[in-house]
Amino acid sequence: MSLQPYAEYFRPGFLAWMERNEAIYQEFERQTLALIGAGWKHFSARTIVEQLRHYTRMREKGDCSLKINDHAAPDLARVFTIRHPQYAHFWEYRRPDWPAFLAAIRRPPSG
């Protein structure tokens, strides 16, 4: 699914980063779905990102090749919401355009 129709809801440069780091998103998604499956109703995207960093460092014994910008967590949560709109309220969004974002993911993209 293309994220381009939703570009206005992401930080500048995030979509290019996402193209290079789809594997990071896939792990973020896997962990998020596991939390939902375990019964969590809300969770922090930043906590998931920090957990990804921690466990990757443990596996790689300090030579960490996983690079996730601190500001990627909210954008990763938005990608998850676009791909899984049924879980739109799993995250707390702090941007004022949250209602517009929800409306955008509920209608078919035009691009």
Side-chain angles (χ1 to χ4, degrees), residues 35-36 39-43 89-91:
L35 288 162
I36 291 167
W40 287 85
K41 302 295 182 211
H42 301 283
F43 207 80
H89 294 288
F90 189 68
W91 316 107

Side-chain angles (χ1 to χ4, degrees), residues 1-22 75 78-79 82-83:
M1 163 186 283
S2 172
L3 298 173
Q4 200 57 47
Y6 310 102
E8 69 185 279
Y9 298 103
F10 296 103
R11 284 179 307 107
F14 175 78
L15 294 181
W17 178 89
M18 182 71 179
E19 287 179 17
R20 296 185 312 271
N21 294 283
E22 180 69 27
D75 288 325
R78 287 185 191 93
V79 173
I82 290 166
R83 294 184 179 174

Side-chain angles (χ1 to χ4, degrees), residues 57-109:
R57 283 188 187 111
M58 298 278 292
R59 278 195 309 268
E60 297 180 3
K61 296 185 175 44
D63 184 23
C64 183
S65 62
L66 178 66
K67 303 293 183 205
I68 307 176
N69 185 300
D70 288 342
H71 302 292
D75 288 325
L76 289 168
R78 287 185 191 93
V79 173
F80 182 87
T81 302
I82 290 166
R83 294 184 179 174
H84 302 277
Q86 69 273 32
Y87 301 121
H89 294 288
F90 189 68
W91 316 107
E92 178 182 328
Y93 294 90
R94 296 190 176 141
R95 284 181 51 161
D97 61 1
W98 171 239
F101 173 71
L102 278 181
I105 66 170
R106 290 190 174 122
R107 64 179 175 265

